[in-house]
């Protein structure tokens, strides 16, 4: 059920950019190892080391990781990052090296099945992979589609300092788990109040909010106990 689309000659209100995501961590060193050395984001070097770590994820998006927390923040859902084909290949190579070094990064397939087979050669031939980071957050890494590549790789859409050399193109979607029987009311809230383009999926009980001509998405997915 499509409640509002961006089709038609008349430009409709919408969400332009999912610009950054805050995730508190216990220490910055492990955060920089994961977000920069593994995922391939670029640290904003102008910020002092004692400040919150800002990691540029492509030209337009960022991760902000505040430290010195008693416990790390766990996102109630999944964070999706898109790469070029070459960028995703490099992340897969990094993952293989990290596994050989004995570093603890769990991997899952898209259906949340634990999968030790990623330690084998076939990791190099996957076009998507789910990774559980050191703080328990799930990141879905995949190759960008054409519309995502066109949006994230165009410097006319915005260019942030210290983003040159970023492996990921950008944060393409986030999933937020919500309580049962709430996704439709959530979709109506974003439609009625903000007039964002929204799709409500009755079968999957999921609301999707679109940004910048559908290059980015926010999903509210019903889950027991959320």
């Amino acid at each position: 059920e499509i409640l509002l689309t961006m089709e038609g000659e008349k430009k409709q209100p919408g969400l332009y950019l999912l610009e950054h995501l805050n995730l508190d961590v216990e220490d910055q060193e492990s955060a920089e190892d994961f977000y920069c050395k593994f995922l391939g984001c670029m640290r904003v070097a102008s910020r002092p080391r004692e400040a919150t770590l800002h990691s540029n994820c492509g030209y337009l998006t960022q991760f902000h990781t505040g430290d010195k927390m008693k416990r790390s923040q766990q996102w109630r859902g999944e964070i999706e990052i898109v790469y070029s084909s070459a960028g995703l290949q490099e992340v897969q190579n990094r993952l293989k090296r990290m596994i050989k070094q004995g570093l603890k990064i769990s991997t899952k397939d898209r259906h949340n099945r634990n999968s030790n087979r990623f330690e084998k050669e076939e990791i190099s031939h996957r076009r998507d992979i789910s990774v559980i980071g050191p703080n328990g957050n799930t990141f879905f890494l995949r190759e960008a589609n054409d519309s995502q590549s066109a949006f994230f790789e165009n410097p006319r859409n915005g260019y942030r300092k210290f983003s040159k050399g970023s492996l990921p193109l950008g944060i393409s979607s986030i999933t937020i788990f919500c309580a049962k029987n709430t996704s439709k009311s959530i979709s109506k809230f974003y439609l009625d109040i903000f007039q964002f383009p929204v799709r409500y999926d009755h079968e999957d009980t999921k609301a999707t909010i679109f940004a910048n001509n559908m290059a980015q998405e926010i999903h509210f997915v019903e889950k027991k106990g959320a």
Side-chain angles (χ1 to χ4, degrees), residues 40-43 56 58-59 159-167:
C41 300
M42 300 301 294
R43 176 180 172 270
N56 286 336
Y59 293 157
Y159 183 86
R160 196 191 303 275
K161 282 186 177 182
F162 305 105
S163 59
K164 184 178 180 180
S166 171
L167 282 181

Side-chain angles (χ1 to χ4, degrees), residues 21-25 35 63-66 73 75 79 137 139:
L21 193 62
N22 284 320
L23 291 169
D24 293 333
V25 297
Y35 288 96
F63 290 103
H64 296 180
T65 46
Q73 179 183 358
W75 187 258
I79 302 155
N137 292 307
F139 295 80

Side-chain angles (χ1 to χ4, degrees), residues 72-91:
S72 296
Q73 179 183 358
Q74 290 195 5
W75 187 258
R76 292 192 306 169
E78 188 176 72
I79 302 155
E80 181 181 271
I81 305 173
V82 290
Y83 292 80
S84 66
S85 178
L88 185 59
Q89 179 65 64
E90 171 58 25
V91 171

Side-chain angles (χ1 to χ4, degrees), residues 165-185:
S166 171
L167 282 181
L169 301 181
I171 302 170
S172 54
S173 76
I174 58 171
T175 298
I176 304 168
F177 295 137
C178 59
K180 290 288 187 180
N181 303 315
T182 61
S183 60
K184 189 167 187 178
S185 60

Side-chain angles (χ1 to χ4, degrees), residues 175-197:
T175 298
I176 304 168
F177 295 137
C178 59
K180 290 288 187 180
N181 303 315
T182 61
S183 60
K184 189 167 187 178
S185 60
I186 289 171
S187 64
K188 286 185 65 64
F189 170 82
Y190 281 94
L191 172 63
D192 296 342
I193 303 300
F194 299 107
Q195 296 186 19
F196 288 165

